[in-house]
Amino acid sequence: MPELPEVETVANGVNARIAGDRIEDLWFSSKPEPMKTPPAAMAKALTGRSIERVRRVGKHIVFDFAPDPKREPVQWIVHLGMTGRLVVVDPGVPRPPHTHGVLVLHSGRELRFVDARRFGRMGLHLIEKAKDEAVELPGFRGPGTEPLRISKVDFRSLFHKRRTSIKAALLNQSLLHGVGNIYADEALFRAGIRPRRMAARLSTRELDRLHGAVQKVLREAIRLGGSSVSDYVDAAGERGFFQLRHFVYMRTGQACLVCGTPIRRLVIAGRGTHYCPICQH
DNA sequence: CATGTTTCCTGACAGC
DNA sequence: TGCTGTCAGGAAACAT
């Protein structure tokens, strides 16, 4: 499931392959769920555009285009949801099932959005002024704060009044953007904090430890190409390796890698939550 | 406003 | 073998 490290890996991979290419043609499936913007409007706005850069903002993938004085500035935004894939393929490769969007590029290659479960989204963002950070497309949530850039002080103030569990707060994208279920569990383990603790009751020291753990775990995961837990692959179809470094996620009943105690599972905010009852307090 | 719960989807898997 | 039921979860929509 794509969280910040997986989305970053995909965005960088797509960028490396198609930056500078031009959109010649577009195709979209008839499934309404993945479309934040009607397909006809997306096709009209994007045909002929030159792709300047592809980058990650939060869990969103943002496509920036070369300025065109005759046309309104736009961005194309893709969210991978649970099972979404964005892959660049050479001409002639058969389209797999659950393909919902295809950009046919000038080079002949295709950028495809494939998503079995249809939790992913594609949409157009009309911009008046080019904005570097914000994703304000109606229907797409604002970016919250980038966890890799937030300072210790800002991190503390994000959570210190929240009367909910720290796990739920970490998953709240209007606070921190990009942390999902895997990295919330892994960061809480590394910080030695139980997921059910109320955010507002954490000490400054604990919040500082969590700040460090979130950044460390995300950086390490980016370095390893993300976690391939279900079917995640990057833009070249390669799996990541961070799943080999998981201490708790999906390890219910298995021995804690630090103390040997069986890992426990509970449900918080509707998500499976994994922790060590000895290492985390 | 803040927080909790339900819903959308299909593939994988367990159990019979 | 093939069916049924359960589970996985990001985030919008809805409820409290």
Side-chain angles (χ1 to χ4, degrees):
Chain A
M1 38 231 73
E3 303 179 25
L4 186 150
E6 292 78 24
V7 177
E8 171 116 1
T9 304
V10 170
N12 289 344
V14 170
N15 181 66
R17 286 168 179 78
I18 71 168
D21 216 331
R22 195 171 69 234
I23 302 172
E24 295 286 327
D25 197 10
L26 295 92
W27 173 90
F28 295 103
S29 77
S30 57
K31 302 283 186 206
E33 294 92 350
M35 316 298 170
K36 281 283 188 190
T37 304
M42 281 198 275
K44 184 162 186 272
L46 297 177
T47 303
R49 299 267 185 183
S50 288
I51 298 159
E52 191 170 78
R53 188 156 76 110
V54 183
R55 62 201 167 96
R56 176 192 67 78
V57 177
K59 287 185 201 170
H60 296 90
I61 297 170
V62 177
F63 290 71
D64 296 311
F65 303 104
D68 183 342
K70 297 184 198 102
R71 302 171 82 179
E72 259 187 291
V74 294
Q75 291 170 322
W76 191 51
I77 316 278
V78 174
H79 192 294
L80 298 176
M82 280 282 297
T83 52
R85 298 181 179 195
L86 215 43
V87 290
V88 180
V89 296
D90 289 323
V93 177
R95 279 181 199 178
H98 309 299
T99 300
H100 298 296
V102 176
L103 307 195
V104 181
L105 303 171
H106 183 252
S107 62
R109 293 171 303 176
E110 291 185 359
L111 175 76
R112 295 173 180 171
F113 178 65
V114 182
D115 185 12
R117 221 166 286 180
R118 277 182 256 152
F119 282 10
R121 299 289 182 262
M122 298 176 277
L124 216 52
H125 179 211
L126 306 171
I127 38 177
E128 296 102 48
K129 299 174 235 165
K131 283 175 188 151
D132 228 25
E133 290 308 318
V135 176
E136 289 166 9
L137 180 70
F140 280 109
R141 217 165 232 238
T145 308
E146 278 292 330
L148 289 176
R149 292 206 199 117
I150 191 170
S151 69
K152 272 195 160 59
V153 173
D154 289 345
F155 188 89
R156 286 177 206 155
S157 63
L158 221 46
F159 296 111
H160 80 120
K161 282 182 183 161
R162 293 277 144 178
R163 304 186 60 75
T164 184
S165 69
I166 185 61
K167 166 81 185 250
L170 281 172
L171 293 177
N172 184 342
Q173 301 296 299
S174 62
L175 300 176
L176 269 192
H177 204 176
V179 178
N181 205 37
I182 297 171
Y183 300 102
D185 281 6
E186 292 299 320
L188 284 167
F189 175 84
R190 285 160 175 79
I193 298 167
R194 290 209 188 190
R196 258 199 297 226
R197 295 274 305 283
M198 189 191 287
R201 294 237 178 99
L202 295 177
S203 68
T204 300
R205 242 177 96 181
E206 286 175 317
L207 283 172
D208 285 355
R209 228 160 56 214
L210 186 57
H211 171 265
V214 165
Q215 295 201 339
K216 200 173 171 192
V217 90
L218 292 176
R219 288 209 181 94
E220 177 83 348
I222 289 169
R223 198 172 67 74
L224 294 177
S227 301
S228 288
V229 169
S230 50
D231 54 358
Y232 160 77
V233 289
D234 68 14
E238 300 289 332
R239 290 166 59 84
F241 293 96
F242 191 72
Q243 67 277 11
L244 303 174
R245 305 281 178 99
H246 290 177
F247 281 90
V248 287
Y249 182 75
M250 285 296 206
R251 297 196 62 248
T252 310
Q254 297 178 47
C256 172
L257 298 174
V258 172
C259 75
T261 307
I263 298 301
R264 287 191 194 164
R265 179 184 190 275
L266 42 89
V267 175
I268 298 176
R271 303 290 178 302
T273 298
H274 316 78
Y275 71 103
C276 171
I278 299 298
C279 296
Q280 293 171 258
H281 300 281

